Amino acid sequence: MTRTSIAPIKAAITAVGSYVPEEVLTNQDLEQMVDTNDEWIQTRTGIRERRIAKSPSHATGYMATMAALNLCEKNNIDPKSIDLVLVATITPDYQVSSTAPYVASQIGATSAFAYDLSAACSGFLYGISTAAAYISSGQYQRVLLIGADKMSSIVDYSDRTTCIIFGDGAGAVLFEASKNAYGFESAVHGSNGIGRDYLNIHDGGSLHPVNENTFKEKNHLVRQEGRTVFKYAVKHMSEASNKVLEKHALTHEDINYMIAHQANKRILDATAQQLGIANEKVLTNIERYGNTTAATLPLLLSDYETEFKKGDKLLFTAFGGGFTWGAAYLTWNYDIKN
Ligand code: UT7
């Protein structure tokens, strides 16, 4: 009896799209709102400005739709050919229902099913593994993964420790079976429930439902203990990245680009330093967008898509509320189509 082995299906990113709101909130604007200054924000976080979706109707679902349409139009993708739409977000349009089905309907992905994925700043990274698993198993052929957050809807603009960091935006990628040797290689994920004491929205969930004090105490808005989050972020992003590199017998020199969550430029620098990754390989958009939570990684892909060459080795890493974290290794699948 002869045995034929079937090569596993490798999932690859085959298209990228993005959307950021037009409205810009600069450090100088924030100086008028809270006791802060441009110099502090730039030196402590690396952020100069961020985008804010001012129109009430431009919520997460709208931004995710715009990013998905941008992807489809740029790459001539028929939305009807998409099997699954995943939206990573912590700012859904509604607490109930899921935002992804709305996005799928808006873009005309009439054959797709859709759901949200909630892992805060790690949401898109976890979505990479989820999308890749669906493709590799042969279950679905086209998975649209979107990271989108309207952070301005949950930020307290009187709290200088959070309002300077966050911004709004959305990015989208399409996963399909790779037609060459390149694509998703593997990922390492972790989580620790201790994190919910250090980064949360206190009220509005099942543990602390909205009550008569919620709005008075601003407990419907995001709070974090920045210093603690900072330390956990550097530790876990560098440890997870090292594990992925070890798995593939890679060193920092083999990596072409590090695509890391953009919460604070000093977190990026410290993580890259621990990994020995050279500064010029660390992609950033934090100076223009701030921390866009689940949108950060796909926005980086969109911003730097023209730089990537087929076969480039990309190291993704993220850390977020929960705590949640991880790292993923992908080889880039295409040269830009002009
Ligand atoms: O996306 C995933 C989740 N989030 C993160 O990963 C964020 C991680 N944390 C951070 O990025 C940083 O901790 C922050 C940017 C939030 C804060 O920066 P820091 O360097 O850790 O500042 P700090 O909290 O240690 O505060 C240092 C000083 C304090 O003053 P004193 O006590 O030394 O007099 C703060 O009151 O800076 C003061 N401060 C500010 N000053 C001007 C805090 N925020 C501001 C501000 N402007 N916006």
Side-chain angles (χ1 to χ4, degrees):
M1 200 171 77
T2 51
R3 267 205 178 152
T4 48
S5 65
I6 301 166
I9 303 167
K10 187 178 272 189
I13 293 174
T14 57
V16 176
S18 65
Y19 171 82
V20 288
E22 277 173 24
E23 299 91 345
V24 175
L25 182 69
T26 65
N27 292 348
Q28 288 74 17
D29 295 330
L30 285 163
E31 286 175 2
Q32 309 305 313
M33 298 158 70
V34 287
D35 180 16
T36 191
N37 59 78
D38 177 47
E39 206 246 326
W40 191 96
I41 301 174
Q42 289 216 38
T43 52
R44 303 304 290 172
T45 71
I47 303 167
R48 264 199 335 263
E49 58 188 42
R50 61 292 286 143
R51 300 300 179 98
I52 303 293
K54 287 211 170 126
S55 164
S57 65
H58 290 183
T60 295
Y62 170 85
M63 295 193 294
T65 299
M66 296 300 278
L69 288 175
N70 175 250
L71 179 151
C72 291
E73 279 157 20
K74 256 178 30 187
N75 297 280
N76 210 13
I77 303 289
D78 178 2
K80 291 191 188 63
S81 68
I82 295 168
D83 301 305
L84 165 60
V85 177
L86 284 172
V87 175
T89 187
I90 53 163
T91 53
D93 284 7
Y94 293 100
Q95 286 306 322
V96 180
S97 306
S98 228
T99 299
Y102 168 78
V103 176
S105 295
Q106 288 298 107
I107 66 171
T110 46
S111 316
F113 77 111
Y115 62 89
D116 291 358
L117 198 159
S118 174
C121 299
S122 307
F124 186 84
L125 184 85
Y126 288 9
I128 289 177
S129 291
T130 308
Y134 277 123
I135 302 286
S136 295
S137 68
Q139 207 175 348
Y140 298 109
Q141 277 70 53
R142 282 190 154 176
V143 178
L144 181 66
L145 170 63
I146 303 168
D149 269 303
K150 183 168 178 169
M151 293 306 292
S152 61
S153 68
I154 56 167
V155 163
D156 176 357
Y157 284 97
S158 66
D159 173 8
R160 68 177 183 170
T161 67
T162 51
C163 74
I164 54 142
I165 300 173
F166 293 105
D168 302 337
V173 301
L174 188 67
F175 272 92
E176 296 176 275
S178 174
K179 292 198 172 65
N180 51 41
Y182 304 123
F184 174 78
E185 306 292 347
S186 77
V188 167
H189 303 302
S191 64
N192 185 346
I194 195 179
R196 73 182 192 171
D197 295 336
Y198 300 109
L199 176 52
N200 64 34
I201 292 180
H202 194 268
D203 287 6
S206 58
L207 184 59
H208 302 288
V210 172
N211 60 66
E212 62 280 8
N213 292 321
T214 296
F215 300 104
K216 210 163 53 195
E217 290 162 8
K218 297 188 178 170
N219 282 340
H220 59 303
L221 300 174
V222 73
R223 296 266 175 257
Q224 70 169 349
E225 203 178 294
R227 268 188 229 188
T228 309
V229 179
F230 191 113
K231 284 182 202 146
Y232 276 97
V234 176
K235 173 180 156 57
H236 287 303
M237 287 203 291
S238 49
E239 280 179 8
S241 298
N242 265 328
K243 281 186 190 157
V244 169
L245 294 180
E246 275 166 26
K247 238 170 118 174
H248 293 273
L250 295 168
T251 74
H252 59 89
E253 284 173 4
D254 298 314
I255 295 301
N256 295 96
Y257 298 104
M258 180 172 118
I259 300 175
H261 179 58
Q262 314 267 301
N264 186 318
K265 179 71 167 55
R266 290 185 297 127
I267 294 179
L268 283 178
D269 293 343
T271 305
Q273 199 186 5
Q274 295 225 358
L275 293 167
I277 292 184
N279 280 344
E280 60 272 18
K281 293 182 177 179
V282 181
L283 304 186
T284 66
N285 60 14
I286 190 168
E287 57 286 346
R288 286 173 292 131
Y289 299 148
N291 178 355
T292 51
T293 306
T296 290
L297 298 184
L299 280 175
L300 281 169
L301 288 176
S302 177
D303 286 346
Y304 290 92
E305 187 187 15
T306 53
E307 309 276 323
F308 301 146
K309 300 272 174 300
K310 200 190 284 185
D312 274 353
K313 296 180 172 66
L314 309 185
L315 175 67
F316 291 75
T317 186
F319 181 89
F323 293 129
T324 55
W325 65 85
Y329 169 48
L330 273 89
T331 42
W332 191 248
N333 176 256
Y334 60 90
D335 293 323
I336 193 74
K337 313 134 202 172
N338 290 312

